[in-house]
Amino acid sequence: MPILRSAFIALSRNRMMRRFSESSSVGRRLSSRFVAGLELEDALRVAEAVNRQGMAVTLDSLGESVSTEVEAHQAAEIYHQLLDQIAARKLNANISVKLTQMGLELDRKLAGDIAEGLARHASVKGNFLRIDMEDSSLTQVTLDIVRRINALPKLRGSIGVVIQAYLYRSQSDIEQLLAEGIRVRLCKGAYKEPAEVAFPSKADVDTNYVRLSGMLLESPVYHGLATHDEAMIAAAKKFAVNHRIEASRFEFQMLYGVRRDLQRALVQEGYNVRVYIPFGREWYPYFMRRLAERPANVLFLAKNYFRN
Ligand code: FDA
């Protein structure tokens, strides 16, 4: 793993830096490139604007690893409000949730119950709950929770999960999820993982991404291909054309603030695009992972900061 990427991932876990950055106005200003704002209302406003540009959205109320049950329920409450507001404002939006924010590391049952409550609410509103994937120590428990909820009466199709192409296990996970009709978002993977569980080289991750996206595109279920990598996108488009898979049967997903040019171009070509919009006060770990993906972003942000 390149040194800068490791450094940013290490920084993403640094508590002192996090406390300092989240409370500083400079930090907030820099993060605004990738984060919609601090409040729920900011996220809804940005979602509306993105919808107007012909793209769907998924909303992420930032936060990871809560330390009390009360915090987990508070985090869930924001998502319940989002589901109500999405319906009230008729937004083309769903929600993306991290199970550690719902208390996974305190009590698995707590996180499972909260996720089930959100899936029920989403289902009543005709909406959908996506469970984000975190580091590999949580892959199995995350999949177990999603599969249990999807198997409940009336909840089939209301919950989906994320699979990371850098993990060796992902092909067999996808086979199982497809057999159960569960919607998948495929991404490359954003955490620092050891070579025992994940491909160390980018080329291998990319090859696996292309292979797994083919499996998803061929299935009858609606999936999301989350990437800004033009080679991955070109491979998916080619696969779809060769296998006569219509553009309406899948979507591309990208992060708010990343490759906006590519997002617009895909919409113009007639593809479904969904933008992942994070918001909230706890933006620091998310922001650092984005810098880890592309250290050149630091220069980009610095240039824009001083230009304003
Ligand atoms: P790659 O990193 O190879 O980058 C390809 C090109 O894309 C770069 O050359 C650059 O041009 C552009 N690019 C990529 N990242 C950029 C950035 N931050 N800023 C500017 N340009 C950038 N991960 C995870 O582990 N669990 C999850 O649940 C999710 N969820 C998720 C949702 C959505 C909608 C997206 C798009 C991504 C995720 N991810 C994620 C993150 C994902 O795993 C991965 O870290 C990033 O998408 C970067 O990988 P790319 O596929 O974009 O390719």
Side-chain angles (χ1 to χ4, degrees), residues 243-255:
H243 293 76
R244 297 178 193 283
I245 296 160
E246 282 176 24
S248 60
R249 280 183 44 203
F250 62 96
E251 67 188 25
F252 289 112
Q253 300 186 355
M254 293 190 210
L255 302 176

Side-chain angles (χ1 to χ4, degrees), residues 5 33-34 58 96-98 130-135 161-166 185-191 193 202 206 209 225-232 252-259 262 274-277 286-287 289-297 300:
R5 173 155 194 247
R33 165 78 195 198
F34 299 116
T58 187
S96 286
V97 172
K98 287 189 174 50
R130 174 80 62 189
I131 302 296
D132 284 346
M133 190 56 83
E134 300 177 70
D135 72 59
V161 74
V162 177
I163 291 292
Q164 298 151 323
Y166 62 20
R185 170 200 295 152
L186 180 66
C187 67
K188 291 191 187 178
Y191 297 81
E193 299 291 356
K202 175 174 160 58
D206 289 357
Y209 192 100
L225 301 179
T227 182
H228 317 92
D229 188 333
E230 294 189 50
M232 302 299 103
F252 289 112
Q253 300 186 355
M254 293 190 210
L255 302 176
Y256 176 68
V258 178
R259 290 304 309 267
L262 192 52
R274 185 179 300 274
V275 179
Y276 184 108
I277 301 180
Y286 175 89
F287 178 66
R289 285 199 299 276
R290 302 293 79 82
L291 296 187
E293 281 154 9
R294 192 164 178 259
N297 275 337
F300 170 84

Side-chain angles (χ1 to χ4, degrees), residues 144-163:
D144 290 346
I145 289 174
V146 170
R147 292 176 55 223
R148 178 184 74 73
I149 295 173
N150 188 65
L152 294 171
K154 298 200 188 135
L155 293 189
R156 196 181 158 92
S158 298
I159 187 165
V161 74
V162 177
I163 291 292

